[in-house]
Coordinates of all heavy atoms in Angstrom, one line a residue:
P7 N -81.9 -130.5 -69.6 CA -83.2 -130.7 -69.1 C -84.2 -129.5 -69.4 O -85.3 -129.7 -69.8 CB -83.1 -130.9 -67.6 CG -81.7 -131.3 -67.4 CD -80.9 -130.7 -68.5
L8 N -83.7 -128.3 -69.3 CA -84.5 -127.1 -69.6 C -84.8 -127.0 -71.1 O -86.0 -126.8 -71.5 CB -83.9 -125.8 -69.1 CG -84.7 -124.6 -69.3 CD1 -86.1 -124.7 -68.7 CD2 -83.9 -123.4 -68.7
R9 N -83.8 -127.3 -71.9 CA -84.1 -127.3 -73.4 C -85.1 -128.4 -73.7 O -86.0 -128.2 -74.5 CB -82.8 -127.5 -74.2 CG -82.1 -126.2 -74.4 CD -81.1 -126.2 -75.5 NE -80.0 -127.1 -75.2 CZ -78.8 -126.7 -74.7 NH1 -78.6 -125.5 -74.3 NH2 -77.9 -127.6 -74.5
A10 N -85.0 -129.6 -73.1 CA -85.9 -130.6 -73.3 C -87.3 -130.2 -72.9 O -88.3 -130.5 -73.6 CB -85.5 -131.9 -72.6
R11 N -87.4 -129.5 -71.8 CA -88.8 -129.0 -71.4 C -89.3 -128.0 -72.4 O -90.5 -128.0 -72.7 CB -88.6 -128.4 -70.0 CG -89.9 -127.8 -69.4 CD -90.9 -128.8 -69.1 NE -92.1 -128.2 -68.5 CZ -93.3 -128.4 -68.9 NH1 -93.6 -129.3 -69.8 NH2 -94.3 -127.8 -68.3
I12 N -88.4 -127.1 -72.9 CA -88.9 -126.1 -73.8 C -89.4 -126.8 -75.1 O -90.4 -126.4 -75.6 CB -87.7 -125.1 -74.2 CG1 -87.4 -124.2 -73.0 CG2 -88.0 -124.3 -75.4 CD1 -86.1 -123.4 -73.1
V13 N -88.6 -127.8 -75.6 CA -89.1 -128.5 -76.7 C -90.4 -129.2 -76.5 O -91.3 -129.2 -77.4 CB -88.0 -129.6 -77.1 CG1 -88.5 -130.6 -78.1 CG2 -86.8 -128.8 -77.7
Q14 N -90.6 -129.8 -75.3 CA -91.8 -130.4 -75.0 C -93.0 -129.4 -75.0 O -94.1 -129.7 -75.6 CB -91.7 -131.0 -73.6 CG -92.9 -131.8 -73.1 CD -92.7 -132.4 -71.8 OE1 -92.0 -131.8 -70.9 NE2 -93.3 -133.5 -71.5
L15 N -92.8 -128.2 -74.5 CA -93.8 -127.2 -74.5 C -94.1 -126.7 -75.9 O -95.3 -126.5 -76.3 CB -93.4 -126.0 -73.6 CG -93.4 -126.3 -72.1 CD1 -92.6 -125.2 -71.4 CD2 -94.8 -126.5 -71.6
L16 N -93.0 -126.5 -76.7 CA -93.2 -126.1 -78.1 C -93.8 -127.1 -79.0 O -94.3 -126.8 -80.1 CB -91.9 -125.6 -78.7 CG -91.3 -124.3 -78.0 CD1 -90.0 -124.0 -78.6 CD2 -92.3 -123.1 -78.1
A17 N -93.8 -128.4 -78.6 CA -94.4 -129.4 -79.4 C -95.9 -129.3 -79.4 O -96.6 -129.7 -80.3 CB -94.0 -130.8 -78.9
V18 N -96.5 -128.6 -78.4 CA -97.9 -128.5 -78.2 C -98.4 -127.2 -78.9 O -99.5 -127.2 -79.4 CB -98.3 -128.5 -76.7 CG1 -99.8 -128.4 -76.5 CG2 -97.8 -129.8 -76.1
E19 N -97.6 -126.1 -78.7 CA -98.1 -124.8 -79.3 C -96.9 -123.9 -79.4 O -95.9 -124.1 -78.8 CB -99.1 -124.2 -78.4 CG -98.6 -123.9 -77.0 CD -99.7 -123.3 -76.1 OE1 -100.5 -122.5 -76.5 OE2 -99.7 -123.7 -74.9
A20 N -97.1 -122.9 -80.3 CA -96.1 -121.8 -80.5 C -96.2 -120.9 -79.2 O -97.3 -120.5 -78.8 CB -96.4 -121.0 -81.7
L21 N -95.0 -120.6 -78.7 CA -95.0 -119.7 -77.5 C -93.9 -118.7 -77.6 O -92.9 -118.8 -78.4 CB -94.6 -120.6 -76.3 CG -95.6 -121.7 -75.9 CD1 -95.0 -122.7 -74.9 CD2 -96.9 -121.1 -75.4
C22 N -94.1 -117.6 -76.9 CA -93.0 -116.6 -76.8 C -92.2 -116.7 -75.5 O -92.6 -117.6 -74.7 CB -93.6 -115.1 -76.9 SG -94.5 -114.6 -75.5
V23 N -91.2 -116.0 -75.4 CA -90.3 -116.1 -74.3 C -91.0 -115.9 -73.0 O -90.8 -116.7 -72.0 CB -89.1 -115.1 -74.4 CG1 -88.3 -115.1 -73.1 CG2 -88.2 -115.5 -75.5
C24 N -91.9 -115.0 -72.9 CA -92.7 -114.7 -71.7 C -93.5 -115.9 -71.3 O -93.6 -116.2 -70.1 CB -93.5 -113.4 -71.8 SG -94.8 -113.5 -73.1
H25 N -94.1 -116.6 -72.2 CA -94.8 -117.9 -71.9 C -93.9 -118.9 -71.3 O -94.2 -119.6 -70.4 CB -95.5 -118.4 -73.1 CG -96.6 -117.5 -73.7 ND1 -96.6 -117.2 -75.0 CD2 -97.6 -116.9 -73.1 CE1 -97.6 -116.4 -75.3 NE2 -98.2 -116.2 -74.1
L26 N -92.7 -119.1 -72.0 CA -91.8 -120.1 -71.5 C -91.2 -119.8 -70.1 O -91.0 -120.7 -69.3 CB -90.6 -120.2 -72.6 CG -91.1 -120.8 -73.9 CD1 -90.0 -120.6 -74.9 CD2 -91.5 -122.3 -73.7
V27 N -91.0 -118.5 -69.8 CA -90.6 -118.1 -68.5 C -91.6 -118.5 -67.5 O -91.3 -119.1 -66.4 CB -90.3 -116.6 -68.4 CG1 -90.1 -116.1 -67.0 CG2 -89.0 -116.3 -69.2
E28 N -92.9 -118.2 -67.8 CA -94.0 -118.6 -66.9 C -94.1 -120.1 -66.7 O -94.3 -120.5 -65.6 CB -95.3 -118.0 -67.5 CG -96.5 -118.2 -66.7 CD -97.7 -117.6 -67.4 OE1 -97.7 -116.5 -67.7 OE2 -98.7 -118.4 -67.5
E29 N -94.0 -120.8 -67.8 CA -94.1 -122.3 -67.7 C -93.0 -123.0 -67.0 O -93.2 -124.0 -66.3 CB -94.3 -122.9 -69.1 CG -95.6 -122.5 -69.8 CD -96.8 -123.3 -69.2 OE1 -96.6 -124.4 -68.7 OE2 -97.9 -122.8 -69.3
T30 N -91.8 -122.5 -67.2 CA -90.6 -123.2 -66.6 C -90.1 -122.6 -65.3 O -89.4 -123.3 -64.6 CB -89.4 -123.2 -67.7 OG1 -89.0 -121.8 -67.9 CG2 -89.9 -123.8 -69.0
G31 N -90.3 -121.3 -65.1 CA -89.8 -120.6 -63.9 C -88.3 -120.2 -64.1 O -87.7 -119.7 -63.2
A32 N -87.8 -120.4 -65.3 CA -86.4 -120.0 -65.6 C -86.4 -118.5 -65.9 O -87.4 -117.9 -66.2 CB -85.9 -120.8 -66.8
R33 N -85.2 -117.9 -65.8 CA -85.0 -116.5 -66.1 C -85.1 -116.3 -67.6 O -84.8 -117.1 -68.4 CB -83.7 -116.0 -65.6 CG -83.7 -116.0 -64.1 CD -82.3 -115.5 -63.6 NE -82.3 -115.4 -62.2 CZ -82.2 -114.3 -61.5 NH1 -82.2 -113.1 -62.1 NH2 -82.2 -114.3 -60.2
Q34 N -85.5 -115.1 -68.0 CA -85.7 -114.7 -69.4 C -84.4 -114.9 -70.2 O -84.4 -115.4 -71.3 CB -86.2 -113.3 -69.5 CG -86.4 -112.8 -70.9 CD -85.2 -112.1 -71.5 OE1 -84.4 -111.5 -70.8 NE2 -85.1 -112.2 -72.8
T35 N -83.3 -114.5 -69.6 CA -82.0 -114.6 -70.3 C -81.6 -116.0 -70.5 O -81.1 -116.4 -71.6 CB -80.8 -113.9 -69.6 OG1 -80.8 -114.3 -68.2 CG2 -81.1 -112.4 -69.6
N36 N -81.9 -116.9 -69.6 CA -81.6 -118.3 -69.7 C -82.5 -118.9 -70.8 O -82.0 -119.7 -71.6 CB -81.9 -119.0 -68.3 CG -81.2 -120.3 -68.2 OD1 -80.5 -120.8 -69.1 ND2 -81.5 -121.0 -67.1
I37 N -83.8 -118.6 -70.8 CA -84.7 -119.1 -71.9 C -84.2 -118.6 -73.2 O -84.1 -119.4 -74.2 CB -86.1 -118.6 -71.6 CG1 -86.7 -119.3 -70.3 CG2 -87.0 -118.9 -72.8 CD1 -87.0 -120.7 -70.4
S38 N -83.8 -117.4 -73.3 CA -83.4 -116.8 -74.6 C -82.1 -117.5 -75.1 O -82.0 -117.8 -76.3 CB -83.1 -115.3 -74.5 OG -84.3 -114.6 -74.3
N39 N -81.2 -117.8 -74.2 CA -80.0 -118.6 -74.6 C -80.3 -120.0 -75.1 O -79.7 -120.4 -76.1 CB -79.0 -118.6 -73.4 CG -78.3 -117.3 -73.1 OD1 -78.2 -116.5 -74.0 ND2 -77.9 -117.0 -71.9
H40 N -81.2 -120.6 -74.4 CA -81.6 -122.0 -74.8 C -82.3 -122.0 -76.2 O -82.1 -122.8 -77.0 CB -82.4 -122.7 -73.7 CG -81.7 -123.1 -72.6 ND1 -80.7 -124.1 -72.7 CD2 -81.7 -122.8 -71.3 CE1 -80.2 -124.3 -71.5 NE2 -80.8 -123.5 -70.6
L41 N -83.1 -121.0 -76.4 CA -83.8 -120.8 -77.6 C -82.8 -120.6 -78.8 O -83.0 -121.1 -79.9 CB -84.9 -119.7 -77.6 CG -86.1 -120.1 -76.8 CD1 -87.0 -118.8 -76.6 CD2 -86.9 -121.2 -77.5
R42 N -81.8 -119.8 -78.5 CA -80.8 -119.6 -79.5 C -80.1 -120.9 -79.9 O -79.9 -121.1 -81.1 CB -79.7 -118.6 -79.0 CG -78.6 -118.3 -80.0 CD -77.6 -117.3 -79.5 NE -77.2 -117.4 -78.1 CZ -76.3 -118.3 -77.7 NH1 -75.7 -119.1 -78.5 NH2 -76.0 -118.4 -76.4
V43 N -79.8 -121.7 -79.0 CA -79.2 -123.0 -79.3 C -80.2 -123.9 -80.1 O -79.8 -124.5 -81.1 CB -78.8 -123.8 -78.0 CG1 -78.4 -125.2 -78.2 CG2 -77.7 -123.0 -77.2
L44 N -81.4 -123.9 -79.7 CA -82.4 -124.6 -80.5 C -82.6 -124.1 -81.9 O -82.8 -124.9 -82.8 CB -83.7 -124.7 -79.7 CG -83.7 -125.4 -78.4 CD1 -85.0 -125.2 -77.6 CD2 -83.5 -126.9 -78.6
R45 N -82.5 -122.8 -82.0 CA -82.6 -122.2 -83.4 C -81.4 -122.5 -84.2 O -81.5 -122.9 -85.4 CB -82.7 -120.6 -83.2 CG -84.1 -120.1 -83.5 CD -84.1 -118.5 -83.6 NE -82.9 -117.8 -83.2 CZ -82.7 -117.2 -82.0 NH1 -83.6 -117.3 -81.1 NH2 -81.6 -116.6 -81.8
D46 N -80.2 -122.4 -83.6 CA -79.0 -122.7 -84.3 C -78.9 -124.1 -84.8 O -78.3 -124.4 -85.8 CB -77.8 -122.4 -83.4 CG -77.6 -120.9 -83.2 OD1 -78.2 -120.1 -83.9 OD2 -76.8 -120.5 -82.3
T47 N -79.5 -125.0 -84.1 CA -79.5 -126.5 -84.5 C -80.7 -126.8 -85.4 O -80.8 -127.9 -85.9 CB -79.6 -127.4 -83.2 OG1 -80.8 -127.1 -82.5 CG2 -78.4 -127.2 -82.3
G48 N -81.5 -125.8 -85.7 CA -82.6 -126.0 -86.6 C -83.9 -126.7 -86.0 O -84.8 -127.0 -86.8
L49 N -83.9 -126.8 -84.7 CA -85.1 -127.5 -84.1 C -86.2 -126.5 -83.9 O -87.4 -127.0 -83.8 CB -84.7 -128.0 -82.7 CG -83.8 -129.3 -82.8 CD1 -83.3 -129.6 -81.4 CD2 -84.5 -130.5 -83.3
V50 N -86.0 -125.2 -83.9 CA -87.0 -124.2 -83.6 C -86.9 -123.2 -84.7 O -85.9 -122.8 -85.2 CB -86.8 -123.6 -82.2 CG1 -87.6 -122.4 -82.0 CG2 -87.0 -124.6 -81.1
E51 N -88.1 -122.7 -85.1 CA -88.2 -121.6 -86.0 C -89.0 -120.4 -85.3 O -89.7 -120.7 -84.3 CB -88.9 -122.0 -87.3 CG -90.3 -122.4 -87.1 CD -90.9 -123.0 -88.4 OE1 -90.2 -123.2 -89.4 OE2 -92.1 -123.3 -88.4
T52 N -88.8 -119.2 -85.8 CA -89.4 -118.0 -85.2 C -90.4 -117.5 -86.1 O -90.4 -117.6 -87.3 CB -88.3 -117.0 -84.9 OG1 -87.7 -116.6 -86.1 CG2 -87.2 -117.5 -84.0
E53 N -91.4 -116.8 -85.4 CA -92.4 -116.1 -86.1 C -92.7 -114.7 -85.4 O -93.2 -114.7 -84.3 CB -93.7 -116.9 -86.1 CG -94.9 -116.3 -86.8 CD -96.1 -117.1 -86.7 OE1 -96.0 -118.3 -86.5 OE2 -97.2 -116.5 -86.7
P54 N -92.3 -113.6 -86.0 CA -92.5 -112.3 -85.4 C -94.0 -112.0 -85.3 O -94.7 -112.3 -86.2 CB -91.8 -111.3 -86.3 CG -91.0 -112.1 -87.3 CD -91.6 -113.5 -87.3
C55 N -94.4 -111.4 -84.2 CA -95.8 -111.1 -84.0 C -95.8 -109.8 -83.2 O -95.7 -109.8 -82.0 CB -96.5 -112.2 -83.3 SG -98.3 -111.9 -83.1
G56 N -95.8 -108.6 -83.9 CA -95.8 -107.4 -83.2 C -94.4 -107.2 -82.5 O -93.4 -107.4 -83.2
R57 N -94.4 -106.9 -81.3 CA -93.1 -106.7 -80.6 C -92.6 -108.0 -79.9 O -91.6 -108.1 -79.3 CB -93.1 -105.6 -79.6 CG -94.3 -105.7 -78.6 CD -94.2 -104.5 -77.6 NE -93.8 -105.0 -76.4 CZ -94.4 -104.8 -75.2 NH1 -95.5 -104.1 -75.2 NH2 -93.9 -105.2 -74.1
F58 N -93.3 -109.1 -80.2 CA -93.0 -110.4 -79.6 C -92.5 -111.3 -80.7 O -92.8 -111.1 -81.9 CB -94.1 -111.0 -78.9 CG -94.6 -110.3 -77.7 CD1 -95.7 -109.4 -77.8 CD2 -93.9 -110.3 -76.5 CE1 -96.1 -108.7 -76.7 CE2 -94.3 -109.6 -75.4 CZ -95.4 -108.8 -75.5
T59 N -91.8 -112.3 -80.4 CA -91.4 -113.4 -81.3 C -91.9 -114.7 -80.7 O -91.6 -115.0 -79.6 CB -89.8 -113.4 -81.4 OG1 -89.4 -112.2 -81.9 CG2 -89.4 -114.5 -82.4
Y60 N -92.6 -115.4 -81.6 CA -93.1 -116.7 -81.2 C -92.2 -117.8 -81.7 O -91.6 -117.6 -82.8 CB -94.5 -116.9 -81.7 CG -95.6 -116.3 -80.8 CD1 -95.8 -114.9 -80.8 CD2 -96.3 -117.1 -79.9 CE1 -96.7 -114.4 -80.0 CE2 -97.2 -116.5 -79.1 CZ -97.4 -115.1 -79.1 OH -98.4 -114.6 -78.3
Y61 N -92.0 -118.8 -80.9 CA -91.1 -120.0 -81.3 C -92.0 -121.2 -81.5 O -92.9 -121.5 -80.8 CB -90.1 -120.2 -80.2 CG -89.2 -119.0 -80.0 CD1 -89.5 -118.0 -79.2 CD2 -88.0 -119.0 -80.7 CE1 -88.7 -116.9 -79.1 CE2 -87.1 -117.9 -80.5 CZ -87.5 -116.9 -79.8 OH -86.7 -115.8 -79.6

Side-chain angles (χ1 to χ4, degrees):
L8 181 54
R9 276 197 295 267
R11 176 71 177 133
I12 291 169
V13 166
Q14 184 180 29
L15 291 167
L16 294 177
V18 178
E19 62 183 319
L21 298 169
C22 70
V23 172
C24 60
H25 297 128
L26 292 167
V27 166
E28 183 180 306
E29 290 287 333
T30 63
R33 292 180 179 250
Q34 181 269 329
T35 53
N36 199 6
I37 294 290
S38 294
N39 287 334
H40 284 299
L41 286 169
R42 181 179 39 80
V43 170
L44 293 171
R45 254 190 351 262
D46 290 348
T47 59
L49 288 170
V50 169
E51 61 189 10
T52 60
E53 180 183 333
C55 186
R57 52 181 255 235
F58 297 99
T59 300
Y60 278 78
Y61 295 85

